[in-house]
Amino acid sequence: MPEKKHSLGNFEEYVLRALIRLRDNAYGVTIRQELEKAMDDFVSVGAVYTTLDRMEQKGYITSSEGEATPERGGRAKKYFKITGSGVEALRETERIRVALQVASGVEPVGVKL
Amino acid sequence: MNSQSQHLYKDIKDMEADQDHLSELLSVYRSNLRHLQRQAAMHGGEENSPISLINELSNTREDIKDIKEKVVFYTAMIERKRREINLEGSIKIEGRLEANPIVTIVDIQQPPSRAEYLLRFLPIPHKDREAVIGDLEEEYQDIHHQFGQKQANYWYWCQVIYSFSPYVKAAIKSAIKWSAIGWVPSVFHLGWEYIRKYM
């Protein structure tokens, strides 16, 4: 049985890339804003959190509780970080994309991790 | 600035200092709670933990709840004090209020109550609920300060409505997964009955 490869959906890939970019400041608000800016489209908080939740179950990211502020009504932030297997999944997705682009004769446009 | 305003500004600064202290305290209690939860997990869950640990967990949760209520209370009090001052024009006081008047003394606005009510029906997992509602409130405040109430309310409503679809889909997927697992023993049982009867 061949080893199971990591696979990512488009939105999952964008979220992981946002986490890499935001580093230690990746929580719901900043992730959503980063995605909205990059995609130039409305992104709901529900879409972000369900994706984060799914990827946490897969082991691609980890979460930790942050500080509470008055602007949040005293509610704590939840910070997210990408794990080694998350980076691996991103690399695998990138590899597949490049392989398909080469096969179809389209010049690959890759983003190095 | 008259003496009445100066007095009110001093009150606000004091309350903000208390609020900061409470936020630090909250972090300590949360860290303690995580530690206790890890201990409970080592006993195989809270149900199987010693009574002293269960009591400690319960007390810590109560303390966290109290502190959170106090933080909200201070937020409301700061808002009330701020309303008593006429904030039109420049703010000329030393320290934190001068450095960042928008964040520290502009009042906390309440998101549309009906949208907040609707939010209760979103099947948000318990572990994410606080973070999701906090994020919505934080961004609501930002938009309110930048673009006004109408835009902020519109944004909040859109967030609540468009969040239904992903959360409902996730809940359905989870329900299907668990119901499928629930069927496994029945399938095995039927298979066993079939083998016993016909083979």
Side-chain angles (χ1 to χ4, degrees), chain A residues 27 45 49 53 65 78, chain B residues 30 127-128 135 138 159:
Chain A
Y27 70 103
V45 70
Y49 269 93
D53 203 29
E65 208 168 90
K78 196 174 182 186
Chain B
R30 283 200 166 116
K127 65 187 173 70
D128 289 341
D135 284 352
E138 186 183 328
Q159 283 295 336

Side-chain angles (χ1 to χ4, degrees), chain A residues 27-30 32-33 36 42-50 53-54 56-57 64-78 80, chain B residues 19 23 26-27 30 34 68 71-72 75 103 108 125 127-128 130-139 141-142 155 158-159 162-163 166-167 170 177:
Chain A
Y27 70 103
V29 173
T30 53
R32 204 195 67 75
Q33 287 174 348
E36 231 172 38
F42 178 84
V43 176
S44 75
V45 70
V48 173
Y49 269 93
T50 48
D53 203 29
R54 196 167 55 243
E56 197 173 7
Q57 282 171 19
S64 59
E65 208 168 90
E67 73 278 8
T69 60
E71 297 86 40
R72 301 173 59 83
R75 295 179 184 92
K77 291 177 185 175
K78 196 174 182 186
F80 296 91
Chain B
Q19 210 176 27
S23 295
L26 197 59
S27 305
R30 283 200 166 116
R34 281 196 291 274
K68 274 187 192 170
V71 170
V72 173
T75 307
V103 174
I108 303 290
K127 65 187 173 70
D128 289 341
E130 197 179 346
V132 171
I133 298 172
D135 284 352
L136 282 173
E137 198 152 318
E138 186 183 328
E139 274 203 87
Q141 304 301 330
D142 277 352
W155 176 86
C158 284
Q159 283 295 336
Y162 283 98
S163 290
Y167 273 122
K177 192 173 113 186

Side-chain angles (χ1 to χ4, degrees), chain A residues 6 41 55 77 80 85 90 104:
Chain A
H6 303 282
D41 198 3
M55 290 200 294
K77 291 177 185 175
F80 296 91
S85 89
L90 262 183
S104 62

Side-chain angles (χ1 to χ4, degrees), chain B residues 5-20:
Chain B
S5 293
Q6 278 180 345
H7 187 69
L8 287 167
Y9 276 126
K10 191 183 171 304
D11 283 352
I12 292 175
K13 280 186 81 176
D14 288 346
M15 280 191 286
E16 280 177 342
D18 287 342
Q19 210 176 27
D20 287 348

Side-chain angles (χ1 to χ4, degrees), chain B residues 106-121:
Chain B
V106 167
D107 48 347
I108 303 290
Q109 302 294 332
Q110 200 60 32
S113 55
R114 283 179 188 171
E116 271 191 315
Y117 179 75
L118 200 62
L119 200 59
R120 290 186 205 170
F121 297 98

